[in-house]
Amino acid sequence: MRSFPENLRLYARLTVGEGLALVEGQELLVWAEPEQLEFVHFLAEEAYRIGARHVEVFMRDPDLARIRMREGSEAAIGYAPAWLLDGVARAHREGAARLGLAGGDPELLAGFPAERVAASARAHAKAAREVMKLVADMEINWCLIAVPTAAWARKVFPGLPQDEGLARLWDAVFSVSRVFESDPLAAWRSHSETLEGRVRWLDDLRLDALHFRGPGTDLRVGLVEDHLWAGGRALARNGIRCSGNIPTEEVFTMPHRSRVEGRVVSTKPLSLRGQLVDGIEVVFKNGEVVDAHAAVGEDVLRELISTDDGARRLGEVALVPASSAVARTGLLFFDSLFDENAASHIALGESYAENLAGSEAMNEAARLDRGANSSLVHVDWMIGSAQVDVDGIARGGSTIPLMRGGEWV
Amino acid sequence: MRSFPENLRLYARLTVGEGLALVEGQELLVWAEPEQLEFVHFLAEEAYRIGARHVEVFMRDPDLARIRMREGSEAAIGYAPAWLLDGVARAHREGAARLGLAGGDPELLAGFPAERVAASARAHAKAAREVMKLVADMEINWCLIAVPTAAWARKVFPGLPQDEGLARLWDAVFSVSRVFESDPLAAWRSHSETLEGRVRWLDDLRLDALHFRGPGTDLRVGLVEDHLWAGGRALARNGIRCSGNIPTEEVFTMPHRSRVEGRVVSTKPLSLRGQLVDGIEVVFKNGEVVDAHAAVGEDVLRELISTDDGARRLGEVALVPASSAVARTGLLFFDSLFDENAASHIALGESYAENLAGSEAMNEAARLDRGANSSLVHVDWMIGSAQVDVDGIARGGSTIPLMRGGEWV
């Protein structure tokens, strides 16, 4: 059995080599909490050893975020540093890759007014619009992984002593990321190839829509014409094939922004902007949310969908078997990077260019015209479970069973 | 007696109120090491409470700096992120104030080749040129203070257990910053006024040169015509009167870049780019360093003065009594923010616009023509002690005793 530092190093190597597929001479931007710095040191070593030109680490300090939320004036809450986000956009245009580290406190901003949290998020999303676009359009190679913090471990394992919870959470992260395999990078590639095979199968079906049925859910998600399924690795426009999420168990494609009909309930809680939302019930008509409720955090949900028109429509639909590696941990993570890989899900907001054939040659208006959604937000929430069936609807109207009892047919 | 957190809060309040003199609606940029975050939280609270628009904290991670120095390719060492430094310059042009936190490991980069460290520093200085200019020209209010780290404490108190050393170092920092006074902000203002009185006295003398004499030192430092002395608070061009350094015990002015003659020895060691330099002996002719030696770190010194032409000439000369509050601690800090306030000193490199009357209306060429030095670097080193006398030389050639045995006459 390997030591924890050995596993950390392998995880860093997996992130640099397979997640980012960082190339010699490339710059890397990382966002990390203070507690995540130990991992960042391994990561920076691996990046510099393969010839990274620079590793810039930006600090995301949870205490500072809370202090700002508590003490900041209204002007402060409505402000985001455009000089910084424009600089980050420039770095990406000049070729820098991007790594996000999930794993912070799922309830970082619990107790603060949802309106205040939303105002802050909106200001940031506006200032980060170009950065978000570069990411959503896969102009660069990027990756999102998780590096556990004590606050996250307390939420996932409330009954355990903190050290034990943190160790258990690391085990789960290593496990679903294939770090415990004898050759983690090879295991990850093999897993990616499995997902990529499923993508080819779904693309060949040339579906018109997906139909989700389960307790409280009867949702028909129309897909854009020329939609492409994605999953596993993606080829960024800078020519680098990267894994945008580690872990990932999903295959996903692009809903048509005006062709979603029916009702759907969430199957797992969701940490949204550092606040919990649970028991979501939503009705869609002509692609738009016309009724939305949540048993917990309804105000947070309402603020989200009032961000802009696109926040009331879908940008992504993803299929994940209820027996995925993440689901098999039996854990509820309160972090979408994990929970969305344990259940089929949909996302309100921005769509991904890679899910629409020929999108790189289209401007924003042309994409909208094709049914691609656009928004300042992109929020995944889980709608799949072992009680949910999914059918594909072919263009002629015939039904193709895709999932039964949460599993691939 | 106040608790440590109470003193930390007062120190943060002093920094925001007197050091930066931050105004409502102003943005603040802070550079901090992970160990300094506890203080940064107090600081951010104080800043937001007076209505700061935003507090952006950049992480300076010592481990990451060492990893880069150890593992980075030659291209990585010669690279600095212009996209970030240009963004910071834009923030300052748009009105952001700036706070630096000294107090890191004085030997952060001990053992790395001086040439590699210098290449990194040069790349950074070039990319940061506009930022450095905005600071040197006092376009914005800025401040440099110290927040002790364990590595610094180990260097200052090598014989003490780490916790005790850190506590002693905090005591010294609080003491020289007047935090232990019953009203620290009032005490700091009173101290500033004392320095400002000395500035007016020296300005009225309208000196032509300073003459330092002591063991190994016989140095005549010609001053630019229309030089201005500075000390205590400075009026930034954005209209805010701030204290650029806490602590500060110096009054300083502008040498003429071509009128420095003689030899001088350092009286304290110096931490330069994370490496120690000690026992400096330098000969100046026509303002230029023509011979330079150091008992420790001569390679570091040689790399420094080969940065550019201005790095071989003086940009600042400062007078500090050997009995200053910092000197009275009896400590050697290995940090220029402190050691330069315990002894008279000179600085190789960039000059300060505030030390030349009318400089705001001059371009770079006009300033050079007046004798103002320009360089990518600005490095203070200590040449004063209780054995050093300082005379002022009036324009007519007469001698005015300024300091005897290291003390004001």
Side-chain angles (χ1 to χ4, degrees):
Chain A
M1 206 173 123
R2 299 185 195 113
S3 69
F4 180 68
E6 284 168 337
N7 283 320
L8 267 191
R9 176 166 303 287
L10 283 171
Y11 189 40
R13 199 167 287 163
L14 174 71
T15 301
V16 170
E18 288 293 315
L20 294 161
L22 198 73
V23 296
E24 188 183 336
Q26 200 175 22
E27 197 169 354
L28 174 61
L29 277 48
V30 183
W31 280 259
E33 297 196 8
E35 265 189 82
Q36 298 171 319
L37 284 177
E38 183 186 5
F39 171 76
V40 168
H41 298 153
F42 283 101
L43 181 93
E45 271 187 3
E46 294 298 322
Y48 280 122
R49 281 177 188 171
I50 66 147
R53 184 162 58 154
H54 186 66
V55 180
E56 184 69 35
V57 181
F58 290 99
M59 194 172 56
R60 276 200 335 237
D61 179 348
D63 293 306
L64 203 58
R66 275 188 291 256
I67 288 166
R68 173 174 172 272
M69 200 47 69
R70 195 177 65 231
E71 306 288 347
S73 66
E74 205 174 316
I77 296 303
Y79 174 81
W83 55 266
L84 179 56
L85 291 155
D86 288 350
V88 169
R90 174 179 153 195
H92 289 317
R93 286 196 311 270
E94 292 174 1
R98 178 185 185 85
L99 177 68
L101 302 184
D105 186 350
E107 296 196 83
L108 176 68
L109 299 179
F112 289 107
E115 194 184 334
R116 199 164 157 84
V117 174
S120 172
R122 260 197 308 275
H124 187 270
K126 278 180 193 168
R129 185 66 180 149
E130 186 184 355
V131 172
M132 282 262 303
K133 271 286 176 198
L134 291 166
V135 169
D137 290 359
M138 291 293 301
E139 292 286 348
I140 48 151
N141 47 329
W142 56 267
C143 185
L144 177 66
I145 66 164
V147 174
T149 62
W152 186 27
R154 280 196 300 272
K155 186 73 189 164
V156 180
F157 298 104
L160 293 184
Q162 181 171 299
D163 283 0
E164 198 180 327
L166 200 51
R168 288 274 301 275
L169 190 50
W170 267 115
D171 279 350
V173 168
F174 285 150
S175 166
V176 299
S177 306
R178 277 68 173 176
V179 171
F180 288 146
E181 303 290 325
S182 61
D183 182 342
L185 279 75
W188 186 258
R189 277 192 297 274
S190 161
H191 169 58
S192 298
E193 284 157 13
T194 302
L195 292 171
E196 290 157 17
R198 198 161 291 144
V199 162
R200 284 189 296 274
W201 171 65
L202 285 162
D203 274 342
D204 288 345
L205 293 178
R206 301 184 61 77
L207 297 172
D208 179 60
L210 299 173
H211 189 188
F212 293 83
R213 273 171 308 154
T217 289
D218 185 354
L219 184 73
R220 186 183 164 114
V221 179
L223 304 178
V224 296
E225 226 185 302
D226 295 330
H227 66 266
L228 295 172
W229 287 84
R233 291 160 297 187
L235 182 63
R237 293 186 186 163
N238 62 4
I240 297 172
R241 191 173 296 277
C242 64
S243 295
N245 285 180
I246 295 180
T248 183
E249 302 283 341
E250 63 174 348
V251 290
F252 59 100
T253 193
M254 190 185 288
H256 192 291
R257 65 192 302 277
S258 306
R259 292 179 51 228
V260 181
E261 307 287 340
R263 66 175 52 241
V264 59
V265 301
S266 62
T267 51
K268 289 177 189 284
L270 165 71
S271 165
L272 175 55
R273 300 167 172 169
Q275 303 192 313
L276 276 197
V277 182
D278 199 6
I280 301 174
E281 296 187 27
V282 165
V283 176
F284 285 91
K285 200 171 168 183
N286 298 326
E288 193 181 9
V289 172
V290 293
D291 194 29
H293 295 284
V296 175
E298 181 167 308
D299 50 347
V300 180
L301 178 66
R302 290 198 176 281
E303 289 291 342
L304 173 74
I305 62 178
S306 67
T307 304
D308 50 29
D309 177 64
R312 307 175 76 86
R313 300 172 184 275
L314 294 187
E316 179 193 343
V317 59
L319 301 180
V320 180
S323 64
S324 77
V326 176
R328 282 199 307 273
T329 64
L331 298 173
L332 182 59
F333 287 92
F334 303 96
D335 185 315
S336 291
L337 176 60
F338 290 77
D339 293 327
E340 74 164 17
N341 284 305
S344 292
H345 55 273
I346 51 180
L348 291 166
E350 182 76 1
S351 59
Y352 291 120
E354 63 180 312
N355 289 133
L356 177 60
S359 65
E360 61 279 10
M362 299 176 197
N363 62 18
E364 174 101 4
R367 289 190 203 178
L368 274 174
D369 193 53
R370 298 292 290 271
N373 196 29
S374 172
S375 172
L376 287 176
V377 304
H378 177 100
V379 174
D380 297 278
W381 49 290
M382 285 57 75
I383 65 168
S385 75
Q387 280 75 51
V388 175
D389 293 338
V390 186
D391 288 331
I393 313 290
R395 293 195 182 166
S398 63
T399 294
I400 304 154
L402 298 179
M403 300 185 115
R404 285 296 174 266
E407 299 303 324
W408 289 107
V409 169
Chain B
M1 205 174 125
R2 299 185 195 113
S3 69
F4 180 68
E6 283 168 337
N7 283 320
L8 267 190
R9 176 165 303 286
L10 283 171
Y11 189 40
R13 199 168 286 165
L14 174 70
T15 301
V16 170
E18 288 292 315
L20 293 161
L22 198 74
V23 296
E24 188 183 337
Q26 200 175 21
E27 198 169 352
L28 174 61
L29 277 47
V30 183
W31 281 259
E33 296 196 9
E35 264 188 82
Q36 297 171 320
L37 283 176
E38 183 186 4
F39 172 76
V40 168
H41 298 153
F42 283 102
L43 182 92
E45 271 187 4
E46 294 298 322
Y48 280 122
R49 281 177 189 172
I50 66 146
R53 185 163 56 155
H54 186 66
V55 180
E56 184 69 36
V57 181
F58 290 99
M59 195 173 55
R60 275 200 334 238
D61 179 349
D63 293 306
L64 203 58
R66 277 188 291 254
I67 288 166
R68 173 174 172 272
M69 200 50 68
R70 194 177 67 230
E71 306 287 348
S73 65
E74 205 175 316
I77 297 303
Y79 174 81
W83 55 265
L84 179 55
L85 291 155
D86 289 351
V88 168
R90 174 179 153 195
H92 289 318
R93 286 197 309 270
E94 292 174 1
R98 178 185 186 86
L99 177 67
L101 302 185
D105 186 350
E107 297 197 81
L108 176 68
L109 299 179
F112 289 105
E115 194 183 335
R116 198 164 157 84
V117 174
S120 172
R122 259 197 308 274
H124 187 271
K126 278 180 193 167
R129 185 67 180 150
E130 186 183 356
V131 172
M132 283 262 304
K133 271 286 176 198
L134 291 166
V135 169
D137 290 359
M138 291 292 302
E139 291 286 347
I140 49 151
N141 47 329
W142 57 266
C143 184
L144 177 66
I145 67 164
V147 174
T149 63
W152 186 26
R154 281 195 299 272
K155 186 73 189 163
V156 180
F157 299 104
L160 293 185
Q162 180 171 299
D163 283 1
E164 198 180 327
L166 199 51
R168 288 274 300 276
L169 190 49
W170 267 115
D171 279 351
V173 168
F174 285 150
S175 166
V176 300
S177 305
R178 277 67 173 174
V179 171
F180 288 147
E181 303 290 325
S182 62
D183 182 342
L185 279 74
W188 186 259
R189 277 193 297 273
S190 162
H191 169 58
S192 299
E193 283 157 12
T194 302
L195 292 171
E196 290 156 18
R198 198 162 291 146
V199 162
R200 284 189 296 274
W201 171 64
L202 285 162
D203 275 341
D204 287 345
L205 293 178
R206 302 184 59 76
L207 296 172
D208 179 59
L210 299 175
H211 189 188
F212 293 83
R213 273 170 308 153
T217 288
D218 186 353
L219 184 74
R220 188 183 163 112
V221 179
L223 303 178
V224 296
E225 226 186 304
D226 295 331
H227 66 266
L228 295 172
W229 287 83
R233 290 160 297 187
L235 183 62
R237 292 185 187 163
N238 62 4
I240 297 171
R241 190 173 297 276
C242 63
S243 295
N245 285 179
I246 294 180
T248 183
E249 301 284 340
E250 63 175 348
V251 291
F252 60 100
T253 193
M254 191 185 287
H256 191 290
R257 65 192 301 278
S258 308
R259 291 180 50 229
V260 181
E261 307 287 341
R263 66 175 52 242
V264 60
V265 300
S266 63
T267 51
K268 289 176 189 285
L270 165 70
S271 166
L272 174 55
R273 298 167 174 169
Q275 304 191 312
L276 276 199
V277 182
D278 199 8
I280 301 173
E281 296 188 26
V282 165
V283 177
F284 286 90
K285 199 168 171 186
N286 297 327
E288 193 182 7
V289 172
V290 293
D291 194 29
H293 295 284
V296 174
E298 183 167 306
D299 50 347
V300 181
L301 178 65
R302 290 198 177 281
E303 289 290 343
L304 174 75
I305 63 178
S306 67
T307 303
D308 51 26
D309 176 65
R312 307 175 75 86
R313 299 172 184 276
L314 294 187
E316 180 192 345
V317 57
L319 301 180
V320 180
S323 64
S324 78
V326 176
R328 281 198 308 272
T329 64
L331 298 174
L332 182 59
F333 287 92
F334 301 96
D335 185 315
S336 291
L337 176 60
F338 290 77
D339 293 327
E340 75 164 17
N341 283 305
S344 294
H345 55 273
I346 51 181
L348 291 165
E350 182 76 0
S351 58
Y352 291 120
E354 65 182 311
N355 288 133
L356 178 59
S359 64
E360 61 279 9
M362 297 177 197
N363 62 19
E364 175 101 3
R367 288 191 203 178
L368 274 174
D369 192 55
R370 299 291 290 272
N373 196 30
S374 173
S375 171
L376 287 176
V377 304
H378 177 100
V379 174
D380 296 278
W381 49 290
M382 285 56 75
I383 64 168
S385 76
Q387 281 75 51
V388 174
D389 293 338
V390 186
D391 288 331
I393 313 290
R395 294 195 181 167
S398 62
T399 293
I400 304 155
L402 298 180
M403 298 185 117
R404 284 295 175 267
E407 299 302 326
W408 290 106
V409 169

